[in-house]
Structure formats: structure tokens, C-alpha cells
Amino acid sequence: MSTCIFCRIVDGSIPAKVVHEDEHTLAFDDVSPQAPVHTLVIPKRHVAAVQDLGESDQALLGRLLLTCRKVAADKGLAEPGYRIVANTGRDGGQTVFHLHFHVLGGRHLGWPPG
Ligand code: DGP
């Protein structure tokens, strides 16, 4: 059994509110939402972080961003707007080391981030 919490969501051994699934990506609502919409988009394949991606991952990256776009549209965020965030590494605030994009929206999001 995988020790990675998001791999366990992919294999179904940890429940999650899944909002999109395709061959390569999974999207599920964040357990600790920071905005009215807070969904995580991940590759099904374990990749720890953005820095672990390579040239051969171009198609996967495109697929992940298109999944973010679809989640945002499905959640009604296309017109008001939203934010896509990939916290990366220690200073980036990454706490789960399985690549994920946060899709946040449903309220005005401040800038710059903390
Ligand atoms: P980050 O700090 O960028 O690594 O974000 C990790 C996010 O993952 C954080 O917003 C909380 C969320 N999270 C952690 N564990 C779980 C879980 O078991 N289920 C769900 N749905 N979200 C989780």
C-alpha cells in the first residue's frame, strides 16, 4: 500500500469528493478549503512536485491545466475568475509531496499571497 496520501485517494483507499476523473488526472475537493471553491487537481501517476517534472511530461502538464480549467468552469468560476496555485517545496509551502494544483475561487483572492 502506498504511503502517499494522494496516491491512496487515486487508488480509492482514502475517500475524497471527486469532481473529475480521466485517464491521467483526478480532481477532488480540498479537505481544508481556503475559499468557497477549493479543489485539488493531481496526476494519477506519482510525481512529487513541479521540480520533478521533465520534458517528457509536457502532455501531462497540459492535461492537468485543462482539468483545472474544466473544474473552474464546472464550479461556475469561468466568468468571475479564479486562481491556480502549485505550492512547491519548503519555501513554497508544499505539505503533500504529490504534485497538485489548487483551484481556488468563489471570493476575491488577495495579492500578494502571504
Ligand atoms: P499544499 O500545502 O500545497 O501541499 O496543499 C496540500 C493540500 O492538501 C492542503 O490544502 C490540504 C489538502 N489535503 C491534505 N490531506 C488531504 C486529504 O486527505 N484529503 C483531501 N481532500 N485534501 C487533503
Side-chain angles (χ1 to χ4, degrees):
M1 184 173 65
S2 172
T3 54
C4 168
I5 200 160
F6 287 178
C7 284
R8 294 182 67 191
I9 288 175
V10 170
D11 73 22
S13 58
I14 290 180
K17 183 156 182 263
V18 172
V19 298
H20 170 87
E21 179 169 11
D22 61 42
E23 187 183 351
H24 297 294
T25 73
L26 188 72
F28 52 93
D29 290 338
D30 195 291
V31 77
S32 176
Q34 302 301 310
V37 174
H38 188 172
T39 300
L40 302 173
V41 174
I42 71 169
K44 287 184 169 177
R45 170 167 70 86
H46 185 85
V47 178
V50 170
Q51 285 307 113
D52 297 292
L53 292 163
E55 289 294 326
S56 62
D57 294 312
Q58 274 190 30
L60 177 64
L61 262 173
R63 175 49 48 200
L64 286 162
L65 278 178
L66 287 170
T67 297
C68 291
R69 177 185 185 278
K70 178 180 186 298
V71 165
D74 290 350
K75 299 247 181 191
L77 301 180
E79 188 276 322
Y82 56 95
R83 186 169 295 164
I84 298 170
V85 174
N87 295 326
T88 304
R90 185 184 64 243
D91 280 358
Q94 185 173 7
T95 59
V96 175
F97 286 83
H98 182 128
L99 175 65
H100 51 284
F101 291 99
H102 298 255
V103 178
L104 295 146
R107 65 170 171 83
H108 180 77
L109 299 163
W111 191 265

